[in-house]
Structures are given as C-alpha cells and as structure tokens.
Amino acid sequence: MTNETAPKTARLSLGDQEIELPVMVGAEGEMAIDIRKLRAQTGAVTFDPGLGNTGACTSNITFLDGEKGILRHAGYPIEELANQSSFLEVMWLLLHQELPLKTELDSFTHDITHHTMMHEDLKRLFASLPKAGHPMAVCAAAVGALSTFYQKEGPKTPEQNWIDAIRLLAKMPTIAAYCYKHSIGQPLMYPRNDLSYAANLLYMMFGTPCEAYEPNPVTARALDLLLILHADHEQNCSTSTVRTVGSSGANLFSSVSAGISALWGPLHGGANQAVIEMLMSIRDGERSAREFMELAKQKDSGVRLMGFGHRVYKNYDPRAKILKSACDDVLGQLGKRDPLLDIAQELEQIALEDSYFVERKLYPNVDFYSGIIYKALGIPTDMFTVFFAIGRMPGWISQWLEFQADPDKRITRPRQIYTGATPRSYQKVEGR
Ligand SMILES: CC(C)(COP(=O)(O)OP(=O)(O)OC[C@H]1O[C@@H](n2cnc3c(N)ncnc32)[C@H](O)[C@@H]1OP(=O)(O)O)[C@@H](O)C(=O)NCCC(=O)NCCS
C-alpha cells in the first residue's frame, strides 16, 4: 500500500452515527487508522488489551514484518548488519538512523570507550545488595541509581541527553560485570580502554587482578554478534515501557531502569534463561523432549515451549535463523559440543511438524538459540538476560530520544473499560 493507493479515510458506523477517520500509511506500506479524535467524536474508545493492534507512535528506527520474517534497522537488513557491521556501528545507526562516516565512528568509539568507568561511590550500592539477588534486579537498581550521579533540576537539553546516552551505553558493560563479580564475591575489575566493547566486557566478567586475562577473539566476535541481534526490536514490552516512563518527563536513566525490569520477565528477555533451564531439565531426564512438547500444548499445564512464539513474528524470527547457524559455528570454533543444541534442534523439529505449533504459527524466537551461545561463551545462566539488556540498550536509548524529539508526543495514559460496581452508598463498618 502506498499513500496514493491507500484509502484516505476509514468509515465507522456506531449506532446512527457515521464518522470518517484518517488513514496513515507507513514507509513500508503498513496502514493505520488514526483514532485520535474518536472519543471526542463518538464518546467511544478502542479496546485492545496487550496493544497488539495499536500503533502508539511513529518511528524511523526499526521496521519489522512479522508475516514475512523481516527485520531492518533504518532500512538495513539485520542479516547484513549481523554479517558485516559491529555493535558500536549499529548503536550509531539506531541513534542517527544513518551509518556513520569513518570519522564519526572513530569519535563515537572514543567517546564510548572513555566513559566506561563508574563513579567509585556506586560500588557501595552493589555491596549493599544480597549476593544471591538476581543480577537483573541489581542491574535495574544500578542503572536507576546513575540518575543520582548525573542529575539536573528540570528537563535536560538535547546535548545533555546525548551525554547521558553515551554514559549509559559505555557504563552498561561495567555495571553488568559488577553485577556478576558481586554475586561471586570477586573484586570488581576496572574497564580496559585498549579493548573492544565486547572484549572489554569479557575482560571485566572473567578477569581477576591476580593474573593476566586476554579475551578470546572468537568469543568477543560471537558476543558482538549477539549484541547486534538484540539491539532494537521496535515497540516491544521493554521499549514501550521506556517510552511510557519517558513520556512523563522522567530522565533517561530512570526510564531505562524501568525497561530493564520489563525485560526481566520470562515472557520477554527472561525467556533466554528459561530456555536453557528447559533444555537442561530435558537433558537431565526430568522428561523427554516429546513429553515436554505434549505438556506445552496443554493449556492448564502452565508449561510453554520457551523461546517459541512471538507477538509479531508469525514466521521464523530472522534473528533466530542467524543464531541457529552461529551456534554451529561458535561451538565448532570454540571446540565445545553441547548436547543442549541437539535437544533444541529436536524440539524445533517436533514443533515444526506438530499441528499445534504450525497452526498457531509458533516458530523459534531470538531466545531459543541465544542461550546456547551464551553458555558456550561461559556466561552464567542468570546473566543471560543482563546480556540481552546490554544489547537492547541502544534501542531503548534511541527510542527514548526519538520520543523526546517527537512534536506529537503526549504522556502515555490509556483509557479503560470500567467493569466494577456501579454507584452505591458507604456504610459504616458496624452496619455492614
Ligand atoms: C512470546 C509470547 C509471549 C507471545 O504471546 P502472544 O502474542 O500474547 O501470543 P499468545 O500467548 O496469545 O499465543 C497464541 C497461541 O499460541 C499458544 N502459544 C504461544 N506461545 C506458546 C509457547 N511458547 N508454547 C506453547 N503454546 C504457545 C498460546 O497458548 C495461544 O494458544 P491459543 O490460541 O490456543 O489460546 C508467547 O509466544 C510466549 O509465551 N512464548 C514463550 C516465551 C518466549 O519465548 N518469550 C520470548 C519472546 S521474544
């Protein structure tokens, strides 16, 4: 559909009222009915729990077509970015919706590299939290706490927001590594500015002050690929959360901290941890792959095939396709054969041939294979979702900045359909 071929309006008849609503067409031809005046004109609102049919913003950052399995950032296919780009370049692309010139990339890399250190006082926050606390909770707390170090009365200028964006992108690996080091009681490692973004993250995770540690370039490249694949995914649960919190005028750090909390849930980013736990339970003989699949099909079992299904993709998630072949490559290069990969492939094969999954168009999503790679890289299971958060950081920030610059921005404040009691009179407790 184009602006020329699409209908200009949609007609709605409601009782004896007939109204015309404007139709919008996106750059890739997707149509939307603009209902901004619907309530004023008719008194009615729309009802869309989960917002699966609601466009809440316009955006230049990411396009995805769930039916065709397409994901593009500012026009660039995810497959090309995964094969040829780097996480830092993708960061810039999301932030500016253009690929950087060499000079721009060099200066951006310099800026990110030189903001990696954290304020020493922030270490006390980590020390005050239980070691067994889930790292996603620690991470959300630390990112939220950054706003206390970089606060300012009133709204920040675009330049100040940009510096906050650089700080957050640069410090996120340091925060993630601190979460892990704190949980195992090891000294926190300072960043090394001579290393790449991914290699420095590995160094801060696995280095100790006692001996030299040089990150394996294969591991660093695999990690960079994972970060690229997680960089943005338009209006998912955590990104919508970041935009929603930002819509109240809250600062970038607080908004992103809320996004980290949203990401933690097992139906969102927490699925990568849940997938590995599911695969391990099958490996350890709790039940066979087939028994598990049968359980996942029973609604009252409470069991879902984790890493399968997606709100938008009704086709193979293109990121999962890339990760599936990366799994073989990375495991091969690192010489780590993992039986969990065989179990994952068996589950996928069963699902692709089972009418339950076929009819509901349930395919592997990004979390199905990512955990196997994280595991091969030595990342502990409960850090998987933190690594997802590092990857998603440029997406959250770009979407937050885009929202702030949007002339149509309004505080997010949905309506509801009230279904509670109708008016009644208060009675004192003695008389109830
Ligand atoms: C991602 C997810 C939350 C999308 O949810 P959604 O768009 O609201 O889709 P629904 O929950 O309405 O699912 C549609 C149907 O497929 C079924 N379904 C969806 N995902 C399923 C899964 N992983 N295992 C078994 N059944 C699943 C639902 O039970 C529902 O069946 P029904 O139509 O008979 O009621 C969902 O697919 C899921 O829970 N997946 C597992 C968690 C996961 O991997 N999350 C990471 C996403 S990147």
Side-chain angles (χ1 to χ4, degrees):
M1 213 43 92
T2 64
N3 260 324
E4 286 67 44
T5 55
K8 300 282 170 282
T9 56
R11 258 189 303 282
L12 173 77
S13 62
L14 190 66
D16 51 11
Q17 250 186 324
E18 178 105 6
I19 62 158
E20 295 219 324
L21 296 162
V23 169
M24 299 165 68
V25 184
E28 294 276 357
E30 66 279 28
M31 272 196 297
I33 302 168
D34 179 349
I35 58 152
R36 277 177 288 185
K37 300 235 161 58
L38 178 68
R39 190 170 164 276
Q41 289 180 346
T42 65
V45 295
T46 54
F47 183 59
D48 185 19
L51 306 179
N53 294 286
T54 298
C57 62
T58 57
S59 179
N60 295 334
I61 301 170
T62 292
F63 170 72
L64 83 88
D65 182 329
E67 269 67 38
K68 296 193 184 128
I70 291 174
L71 171 62
R72 292 196 279 261
H73 296 312
Y76 296 102
I78 189 64
E79 294 79 5
E80 290 183 20
L81 295 172
N83 280 332
Q84 298 173 54
S85 188
S86 66
F87 185 49
L88 256 84
E89 190 176 50
V90 170
M91 280 184 190
W92 177 280
L93 174 65
L94 296 176
L95 290 162
H96 297 277
Q97 296 99 59
E98 289 297 341
L99 286 172
L101 301 173
K102 169 93 174 67
T103 47
E104 289 170 331
L105 184 57
D106 288 349
S107 124
F108 181 65
T109 304
H110 177 274
D111 288 350
I112 296 285
T113 310
H114 289 84
H115 279 87
T116 45
M117 253 194 338
M118 278 198 320
H119 197 292
E120 285 293 296
D121 290 349
L122 196 61
K123 286 184 181 172
R124 290 207 300 273
L125 177 99
F126 290 88
S128 68
L129 296 172
K131 288 204 183 335
H134 195 284
M136 280 299 273
V138 181
C139 188
V143 168
L146 283 183
S147 53
T148 64
F149 291 88
Y150 305 109
Q151 66 185 15
K152 178 190 166 293
E153 288 288 308
K156 292 190 175 183
T157 62
E159 291 72 29
Q160 288 165 331
N161 281 332
W162 175 253
I163 295 172
D164 283 350
I166 297 281
R167 285 182 176 129
L168 203 37
L169 291 165
K171 293 181 202 310
M172 189 58 192
T174 318
I175 290 176
Y178 276 26
C179 291
Y180 174 56
K181 288 295 196 189
H182 168 65
S183 75
I184 57 170
Q186 283 191 3
L188 310 180
M189 299 294 285
Y190 288 107
R192 259 180 60 189
N193 290 354
D194 60 319
L195 294 175
S196 72
Y197 193 86
N200 176 48
L201 171 55
L202 291 168
Y203 165 76
M204 289 189 292
M205 285 283 295
F206 302 119
T208 66
C210 318
E211 51 196 56
Y213 172 88
E214 278 311 316
N216 177 340
V218 174
T219 311
R221 173 57 201 151
L223 181 53
D224 203 65
L225 172 70
L226 281 161
L227 297 175
I228 292 174
L229 293 178
H230 287 90
D232 189 53
H233 214 230
E234 53 117 297
Q235 307 313 315
N236 54 82
C237 177
S238 56
T239 303
S240 311
T241 302
V242 170
R243 279 186 178 255
T244 297
V245 176
S247 80
S248 73
N251 67 57
L252 179 64
F253 302 111
S254 311
S255 306
V256 168
S257 168
I260 293 172
S261 300
L263 186 73
W264 188 7
L267 297 187
H268 192 8
N272 56 15
Q273 176 172 348
V275 169
I276 281 293
E277 287 164 356
M278 171 185 84
L279 297 176
M280 290 199 293
S281 79
I282 294 172
R283 180 199 61 192
D284 298 343
E286 269 177 47
R287 51 178 78 95
S288 72
R290 285 211 176 265
E291 283 165 351
F292 188 89
M293 295 298 275
E294 285 310 309
L295 219 50
K297 293 192 294 187
Q298 291 163 25
K299 293 271 177 312
D300 53 4
S301 70
V303 173
R304 281 196 165 194
L305 178 56
M306 299 313 285
F308 251 74
H310 197 273
R311 169 58 63 80
V312 182
Y313 289 122
K314 301 302 167 200
N315 201 324
Y316 215 104
D317 180 337
R319 302 165 302 170
K321 211 176 270 177
I322 298 167
L323 281 175
K324 189 180 176 184
S325 71
C327 258
D328 278 330
D329 279 4
V330 174
L331 266 56
Q333 286 184 60
L334 294 175
K336 291 188 180 174
R337 181 87 215 123
D338 190 339
L340 297 189
L341 179 58
D342 300 328
I343 298 171
Q345 285 169 343
E346 185 187 352
L347 287 174
E348 182 187 337
Q349 202 47 46
I350 298 172
L352 294 180
E353 288 164 5
D354 187 310
S355 60
Y356 174 95
F357 293 90
V358 174
E359 279 160 19
R360 289 170 179 75
K361 300 188 172 147
L362 301 171
Y363 294 91
N365 60 49
V366 69
D367 296 312
F368 195 64
Y369 286 105
S370 64
I372 296 174
I373 304 190
Y374 283 133
K375 188 166 167 285
L377 305 188
I379 313 297
T381 313
D382 64 359
M383 284 295 290
F384 288 2
T385 319
V386 175
F387 274 62
F388 188 153
I390 303 172
R392 185 52 54 86
M393 191 57 74
W396 288 331
I397 295 173
S398 308
Q399 301 265 355
W400 188 92
L401 291 172
E402 187 179 62
F403 178 87
Q404 300 305 320
D406 187 345
D408 288 335
K409 72 169 185 267
R410 298 178 78 197
I411 185 167
T412 303
R413 202 308 185 183
R415 293 274 172 171
Q416 62 165 17
I417 315 297
Y418 176 68
T419 53
T422 50
R424 46 187 169 163
S425 290
Y426 177 82
Q427 286 182 350
K428 287 199 183 320
V429 68
E430 296 79 15
R432 277 175 219 159

